[in-house]
Amino acid sequence: MNKNVKLKDGTEIVLRQLKKKDLNRLTIFFKSLPKEDRKYLRVDVTDKDTVKQIIKSSKSGESVRIIALIKDKIVADGLLEFEKRKWKKHFGEIRVLVSDEYRRKGLGMLITRELYSLAISKNVEEIIIKIMKPQKSAISICRRMGFKQEAVLPGYVKDLEGTKQDLIIMRCNINEMWKELEGYLEDSDWQRTR
Ligand SMILES: CC(C)(COP(=O)(O)OP(=O)(O)OC[C@H]1O[C@@H](n2cnc3c(N)ncnc32)[C@H](O)[C@@H]1OP(=O)(O)O)[C@@H](O)C(=O)NCCC(=O)NCCS
C-alpha cells in the first residue's frame, strides 16, 4: 500500500514496498549513491544480477524492503531482514540507504519507522544493525534512535575495496526504539505523518 508523507522541508514522498517492476529504478538508485557509501555495503549493488537477487529475496518473505519515491524516482531504501533460525526468531536486522541529495531531511527516520511497524507486526522483539566503523552517519542515527553498541569485531569484514574494517553491532529493544521514534517526532515540527 502506498503512503504519502512529507519531509522536513515539505517535499512530498511516497513510501511503499519494493516490487518486481522496480528493478530499473532500484538499479538507478544504487548507482547514484556516492562511491564512498557503496564501498561499505555487503554486496556490489551496481551489478544488475545482485539487484535482481535483492528483489527476489524481498519477495520470498525472508525480508521486507520499503522504498521512498519522489516522482517515480527512488530516493531511499530500507530493509528489514528476519532471522530464519528459531532460536533467533525474535531478532530482526535493518539497513537503510538514503540518496545523498535527500539526507538530513528526516527520510532515514521515516523509513526506519515503517520498518519498525513491520517488525512489530512480525513479532520481532529486538533490532540489530551491523555497521562498518567508517559509517559515521549511520552510527549517529542509530544512537539517536536508542541503539546501544553491543560489540565491535576488529577487522571482521572487508569493504568492497578489500580493506578490512571493524564491524560494529548495535542493538535495540523494539519498545525502547518506539519511545525514541515517538520522542523524535514530538520534538520535531513535523505534522506530516500523523
Ligand atoms: C544513515 C542515513 C540512512 C541517514 O539518513 P537521513 O535521511 O540523512 O537521516 P535523518 O535525516 O532521518 O536523520 C535523523 C537523525 O540522525 C542523525 N544523523 C543523520 N545523519 C547524520 C550525520 N551525517 N551526522 C550526524 N548525525 C546524523 C541526526 O541526529 C539526525 O537528526 P537531525 O537531522 O535532526 O540532526 C544516510 O546518511 C545514509 O544513507 N548513509 C549511507 C548509508 C549508511 O550508512 N546506511 C546505514 C546502514 S544501516
Side-chain angles (χ1 to χ4, degrees), residues 8 33 37 41 94-99 102-110 129-131 135-138 140-142 144 184 190:
K8 277 181 185 175
L33 291 170
D37 287 344
L41 302 180
I94 62 173
R95 295 203 281 280
V96 179
L97 272 171
V98 173
S99 155
Y102 290 96
R103 286 185 193 167
R104 298 309 285 264
K105 296 177 191 289
L107 189 45
M109 282 293 216
L110 279 174
I129 293 193
K130 294 174 188 160
I131 312 168
Q135 293 177 285
K136 304 273 183 234
S137 51
S140 301
I141 190 171
C142 289
R144 173 104 194 230
Y184 180 77
W190 315 351

